[in-house]
Amino acid sequence: MAGRDKNTRIEPTFDRPGRSRGSADLSVGEDDRVVQSSRGKPVRKQVKARGRQKTSRRSRGGLFAGFGRLFYWSLVLALWGGIGLVGIVVYYGAQMPSTTEWTIPDRPPNVKIVSVDGQLVANRGTTGGEALGLHEMSPFIPQAVMAIEDRRYYSHFGVDPLGLARAMVQNVIDRRVSQGGSTLTQQLAKNLFLKPERTIERKVQEVLLALWLEHKYTKDQILEMYLNRVYFGSGSYGVEAASRRYFGKSARDVTLSQAALLAGLLKAPSRLSPARDPKAAEQRAQLVLAAMRQQDRIGDKELASAMSAKATEAASYWTGSENYVADRIMDELPELIGEVRTDIIVDATVDLNLQKLAEASIRRLITEKGEKLNVSQGALVSIDNSGAVRAMVGGANYADSQFDRASEALRQPGSAFKPFVFVAALEQGRTPDSIRNDAPIKIGKWSPRNFGNKYFGKVTLSTALARSLNSVSAQLAMEVGPAAVVEVAHRLGIESKLQDNVTIALGTSEVTPLELTAAYVPFANGGYRPEVHLIQRITSVSGEVLYENTGGAKPRVLSAETVGMMNAMMKQTIDAGSGRKAAFDWPAAGKTGTSQNSRDAWFIGYTANLTTGVWFGNDNAKATNDITGGSLPVEAWREFMVAAHEGVPVAQLPGGWTRKPEGEPQSAPALEVSAPVPSSGVVQADATETAPAQRRVQRPAVETGSAPVAAEQTGSIRHPVPSADVGGPKVRREGSILDIIMGN
C-alpha cells in the first residue's frame, strides 16, 4: 500500500472471484444477508418475488390509506356542513318571532246555510265548507292522504329523514324534482304561516314550525287541521268543501274511491281537479289506491271495488239554483250582523224541495221549448204570506251564469203591472162593475193598443183586467193620475224607481221579479205588506242567536174591501182570462204580462197560501218568438204551485166584496166608428181572447192630450208622452177620461 499513490481511491467489491475473505478488500457474502436467497433459485426470480411482495404491501397500504383519507375528509366536511347548517338555522330562526308568540291562525269563517227543513243549502266563505272533526269524516280520507303524502306520519317527529332521502334519490334518478320530502306537518306549517316562495329561508322556517307543531299538538290534531285547511282545487278548502263541490255530499259519507280522488288532488289541485280534467283526476286516484294497497291500508277486495267505481265528473262551477239564494243571503249578512268573524249557521226560509222543483220546471221548459221560442232564461220567486221566500230561482243554470235574474234583473212587467192601476182606481171610488169603453185612444202622440188590435166596446173593469185590455188601463191611469199609480205600487212593495207618466199603465217602468212578486203578497194575505226575507235566524256554532226575524209589524196597505174587489177581478184572469191554463184545485188569482215585442213574459199568481211570480226572456232583451204571459210562465207557475200545495188544506182567497149600485158617472157618448188602428206610436200587451179583425167599437168623441208633449224613453219603448197634467199632485178624481178632458 506504501507503493500506491495516496490519492488513489480504492472501491469496495463484493464476492469478486479470487479474493479471500481475509483480504483487505471489503466484500459481503451470502451468509451476511439478513434474508438469504433460496438455494438453487436464480437471482432474477428472487428479485421478481421480492418486487411482487413489496408491490402487494404498497397496494394494501395505499387502499387503506385512501379509505382513511376519504373517511377523514368526509368527517371534516360533515362537521363543517353541520356547523354551517346550524348556523343557517340559527340565523333564520333568530329572525322569527319568539315561540311564545306563535299561535295557530284562525280558520277563515264558514257560513253554513240550511233550508227551512234543515237541509244544507250551501256553504259560503273563503273555505267553502265547515270544519269537521277527524272522527266525523270518512275514515278513508285520512288513510288515503297519508298513503300518498306521508306514509310514516305517525312515526316521525315532524320531519321525515327517510322520506327526504328517498325523495332526493328519486329526484336524482329522474333528473328533475319529481318528489318532495315535506311531511304533512311541514305542509300544514307552510299553509298556516309561510308564503309559497321557494327559498332556503322558507324551508328552514318550515322545519322549525313543523317541530313546534309536533311539540304543541297531537298527531290527530295536526292531521285534522291539515284536512280542514288544505286546498283541493275549484275554490274548495278542506275536505268538507271539496266533497260538496265534487260529489254533492258531506265528507262524512265519502267512499274509498272518492277519498282516493281527494287525496290525489293534493299534488296539483288546480290541474287535477275533476271539474277541469276528470281523466287525470281518475288516473291519480288509482295511484293513491295502489299505494294504499301496497301499505296494507286496504285489502284486495276493497281495491278491486274502488278501481271499478264510476269516474267522478264535476261541473266546472257550482251548480244548483240554491246557490242564487246563498249569494243573496251573503249580500244581506253584513247589514244584519256586521263582519262575519266566526263560523255561523244561517237558517234560510227556502224550502229546498220546492227550490229544486222550481229549478227543474224552469230548466225543463227552456230545454224543451227554448230554441223554438227563442227564449234562454227564466226566473221564479215564491213568497208566503209572512214575507218568507220559499223558493227563488235566478236563472236556468247557475253553473253557466251566476247573475241572479230574480233579484237583480230589471225588466218591463207589461200588463203584470196593471193591478196597481186598478187598485188606484178602486181606491178613488170605482168598482169591478164600473164601465169603460174599450176602443183605440190617443193620448198626445201616444196610441196604446190592445193585443192583436182587438177591442170589445163597453166592458166592466173586471172584464178589462181579466182580458188585459190596454185602452181601459190607459184610461184609468189618466183618470187617477200616474202619480197615484206610482204611490200604490211603492206602498205595496215595489222598490225600484218608477216613471210617473201615463205609460206606466202598461208596465213600462222596469222592476225585478222579486219585488213584483212581493207587491202581490198583500192581495194574498188580506192587505198587509210583510217584510220580504230570506233569513229567519243566524246562530253561532255554539247556539248563540245573533239575529232572528220575528216578523215585526206588518202595516196594512190595502183595505179588506179593496183586497176583495181585486181578488174577485184577478180570479177572473185564471177562470176565464189570459191565465186560464194556470187553474188547479185551489182558488187562485193573478195577472199575466208581456212587454213590447214579447221581450218579457210574466205570470204573477197567488193563493191564500203562496204568491209566485215567473218570468221568461233573454238577457240581451232580444225578442222571443211571440211568447206571452199565458204560455211558458203560466205552465211553470201551475207545475210549481200544484206540488207546493200538495197535502195542504184548501183555503179561500181573503177579502169579500158584494156588488152594490154603481155611483160613478158612466162614460160619455161616443162615436160609432170602424176600428182601424194607428200604425205608429203604440204599446202592445197580452190578451188571449179572440175577436174578428175588424168590428164595431166606440171611440171617444174627443182625442186626449192636446197639451205640449216631451220625448220620453222608458225601457225598450220609445214614444212621446204628455208633459202636462201627468204626475201632478194626487187628487181624487171621479168619472171617465172624457169627463176629465171636458172638465166635468
Side-chain angles (χ1 to χ4, degrees):
M1 296 190 52
R4 291 183 180 178
D5 189 355
K6 295 180 180 180
N7 296 326
T8 301
R9 181 178 178 179
I10 301 175
E11 298 292 338
T13 59
F14 300 90
D15 297 332
R16 180 177 294 180
R19 296 289 181 100
S20 63
R21 293 185 61 90
S23 67
D25 292 336
L26 298 176
S27 63
V28 178
E30 183 67 25
D31 295 336
D32 295 320
R33 300 181 184 277
V34 176
V35 178
Q36 298 180 357
S37 60
S38 299
R39 296 290 182 179
K41 288 185 179 180
V43 174
R44 185 176 296 176
K45 291 184 178 180
Q46 294 176 8
V47 172
K48 288 183 178 180
R50 286 196 297 271
R52 283 195 297 269
Q53 291 172 359
K54 291 179 180 180
T55 302
S56 176
R57 286 196 297 270
R58 284 198 301 269
S59 177
R60 288 195 298 270
L63 182 62
F64 288 133
F67 278 121
R69 285 193 296 271
L70 178 63
F71 176 77
Y72 170 78
W73 286 111
S74 297
L75 186 62
V76 170
L77 289 175
L79 179 61
W80 282 107
I83 294 173
L85 181 61
V86 171
I88 292 174
V89 171
V90 171
Y91 173 76
Y92 287 122
Q95 299 183 36
M96 299 176 66
S98 171
T99 56
T100 58
E101 300 178 11
W102 294 2
T103 56
I104 297 295
D106 292 334
R107 182 177 183 269
N110 179 68
V111 179
K112 181 180 181 180
I113 304 171
V114 297
S115 67
V116 70
D117 54 349
Q119 298 185 66
L120 178 68
V121 173
N123 283 294
R124 284 290 187 269
T126 304
T127 58
E130 64 180 320
L132 295 182
L134 195 63
H135 64 284
E136 294 180 285
M137 60 186 71
S138 167
F140 294 125
I141 294 177
Q143 291 295 326
V145 170
M146 287 187 291
I148 198 65
E149 291 291 323
D150 192 353
R151 66 180 67 183
R152 281 178 291 276
Y153 172 72
Y154 277 100
S155 61
H156 63 63
F157 51 88
V159 179
D160 184 6
L162 293 177
L164 183 61
R166 174 183 53 81
M168 291 177 63
V169 170
Q170 189 63 46
N171 292 338
V172 171
I173 294 174
D174 295 342
R175 295 183 180 181
R176 62 185 179 89
V177 181
S178 59
Q179 293 188 13
S182 294
T183 64
L184 291 179
T185 312
Q186 288 176 263
Q187 293 181 44
L188 177 62
K190 178 181 66 177
N191 294 339
L192 290 178
F193 303 106
L194 304 174
K195 296 179 180 179
E197 56 190 11
R198 294 190 175 187
T199 63
I200 296 176
E201 179 181 5
R202 188 200 66 85
K203 197 65 179 179
V204 170
Q205 292 175 344
E206 176 186 301
V207 171
L208 293 176
L209 289 167
L211 296 175
W212 175 78
L213 285 171
E214 291 278 346
H215 173 73
K216 187 78 172 178
Y217 299 95
T218 67
K219 285 287 188 179
D220 284 351
Q221 288 174 323
I222 293 172
L223 184 58
E224 181 179 302
M225 283 190 286
Y226 176 84
L227 293 174
N228 278 305
R229 294 173 186 247
V230 69
Y231 185 55
F232 285 95
S234 297
S236 303
Y237 289 83
V239 291
E240 178 68 5
S243 299
R244 296 284 182 183
R245 174 68 179 84
Y246 299 129
F247 315 128
K249 62 170 68 173
S250 172
R252 300 173 177 87
D253 306 318
V254 164
T255 63
L256 172 58
S257 61
Q258 292 168 340
L261 186 144
L262 292 178
L265 297 179
L266 297 175
K267 179 180 181 181
S270 296
R271 179 172 58 85
L272 296 174
S273 168
R276 177 179 178 179
D277 193 342
K279 184 177 180 180
E282 185 64 23
Q283 290 175 345
R284 179 68 178 169
Q286 291 182 358
L287 290 178
V288 176
L289 290 170
M292 294 180 72
R293 179 65 192 96
Q294 184 181 13
Q295 298 167 33
D296 291 328
R297 297 178 188 270
I298 58 174
D300 290 332
K301 186 176 180 180
E302 292 174 302
L303 175 64
S305 176
M307 286 287 193
S308 62
K310 183 180 178 181
T312 299
E313 294 184 6
S316 59
Y317 200 82
W318 289 95
T319 187
S321 64
E322 63 271 16
N323 287 288
Y324 291 114
V325 175
D327 291 347
R328 176 79 179 186
I329 286 175
M330 292 301 295
D331 290 341
E332 295 180 0
L333 282 181
E335 294 184 6
L336 301 179
I337 62 172
E339 183 182 357
V340 178
R341 297 181 181 275
T342 61
D343 287 4
I344 60 173
I345 301 172
V346 177
D347 292 317
T349 60
V350 295
D351 183 318
L352 198 57
N353 295 324
L354 293 181
Q355 179 74 26
K356 293 185 179 299
L357 177 67
E359 176 186 4
S361 180
I362 296 293
R363 187 174 294 183
R364 178 185 64 80
L365 289 172
I366 289 177
T367 300
E368 294 177 358
K369 304 179 181 181
E371 184 175 355
K372 178 182 178 181
L373 299 177
N374 191 32
V375 58
S376 60
Q377 285 294 346
L380 183 149
V381 178
S382 188
I383 307 173
D384 71 12
N385 290 337
S386 70
V389 178
R390 297 305 183 190
M392 189 179 79
V393 177
N397 191 332
Y398 184 84
D400 294 338
S401 172
Q402 294 79 56
F403 177 64
D404 182 8
R405 296 154 192 83
S407 65
E408 299 179 48
L410 289 166
R411 309 299 297 231
Q412 289 185 335
S415 293
F417 195 85
K418 287 178 181 176
F420 310 123
V421 178
F422 280 71
V423 167
L426 297 181
E427 289 183 338
Q428 293 191 15
R430 294 150 187 83
T431 71
D433 288 336
S434 296
I435 303 296
R436 291 296 179 269
N437 189 32
D438 176 37
I441 63 171
K442 187 175 182 181
I443 304 175
K445 294 183 180 181
W446 178 50
S447 300
R449 69 185 185 189
N450 290 346
F451 182 82
N453 302 334
K454 301 164 188 174
Y455 298 88
F456 298 91
K458 291 184 178 182
V459 294
T460 64
L461 297 191
S462 182
T463 299
L465 185 59
R467 292 185 174 181
S468 199
L469 304 179
N470 287 342
S471 72
V472 176
S473 183
Q475 292 176 52
L476 293 177
M478 285 295 292
E479 292 175 19
V480 302
V485 177
V486 171
E487 187 278 329
V488 168
H490 283 158
R491 190 201 324 155
L492 268 61
I494 297 295
E495 297 179 349
S496 296
K497 182 179 180 180
L498 302 174
Q499 301 294 327
D500 57 350
N501 59 59
V502 72
T503 64
I504 198 172
L506 305 187
T508 55
S509 288
E510 296 173 332
V511 296
T512 68
L514 178 62
E515 63 182 329
L516 184 59
T517 304
Y520 273 62
V521 172
F523 300 133
N525 69 10
Y528 298 92
R529 177 183 174 177
E531 177 189 356
V532 176
H533 58 284
L534 279 162
I535 299 175
Q536 188 61 42
R537 184 182 303 102
I538 303 173
T539 59
S540 66
V541 291
S542 62
E544 178 187 1
V545 178
L546 306 177
Y547 165 83
E548 185 165 11
N549 187 308
T550 58
K554 298 179 179 63
R556 176 176 281 279
V557 292
L558 293 175
S559 68
E561 183 180 27
T562 300
V563 171
M565 288 189 287
M566 287 301 300
N567 286 344
M569 289 193 292
M570 284 198 281
K571 189 174 184 299
Q572 292 301 309
T573 300
I574 292 179
D575 290 346
S578 55
R580 291 190 301 273
K581 294 180 181 179
F584 71 113
D585 294 338
W586 272 63
K591 186 70 190 77
T592 57
T594 308
S595 66
Q596 191 174 28
N597 296 328
S598 298
R599 289 185 175 92
D600 307 280
W602 302 77
F603 182 67
I604 316 295
Y606 55 93
T607 65
N609 181 45
L610 282 177
T611 301
T612 301
V614 182
W615 166 87
F616 280 94
N618 296 304
D619 287 339
N620 59 5
K622 186 177 180 181
T624 65
N625 289 342
D626 297 326
I627 68 169
T628 65
S631 59
L632 294 186
V634 163
E635 189 174 347
W637 184 91
R638 185 183 186 280
E639 185 175 333
F640 174 83
M641 293 292 273
V642 168
H645 288 78
E646 186 176 353
V648 180
V650 176
Q652 298 297 318
L653 291 170
W657 172 68
T658 303
R659 281 185 169 82
K660 53 186 177 182
E662 177 65 49
E664 67 173 10
Q666 297 297 316
S667 299
L671 300 176
E672 293 284 340
V673 297
S674 183
V677 179
S679 60
S680 62
V682 297
V683 176
Q684 181 173 313
D686 60 299
T688 56
E689 297 295 328
T690 60
Q694 185 172 337
R695 56 173 289 161
R696 305 292 291 178
V697 299
Q698 293 184 331
R699 178 193 295 274
V702 179
E703 290 187 336
T704 64
S706 58
V709 298
E712 176 81 16
Q713 178 178 336
T714 305
S716 60
I717 299 175
R718 296 175 175 83
H719 47 69
V721 295
S723 60
D725 198 29
V726 176
K730 185 175 68 174
V731 180
R732 183 178 180 86
R733 306 185 184 188
E734 300 289 346
S736 68
I737 186 171
L738 188 59
D739 294 328
I740 297 171
I741 295 171
M742 297 299 294
N744 296 330

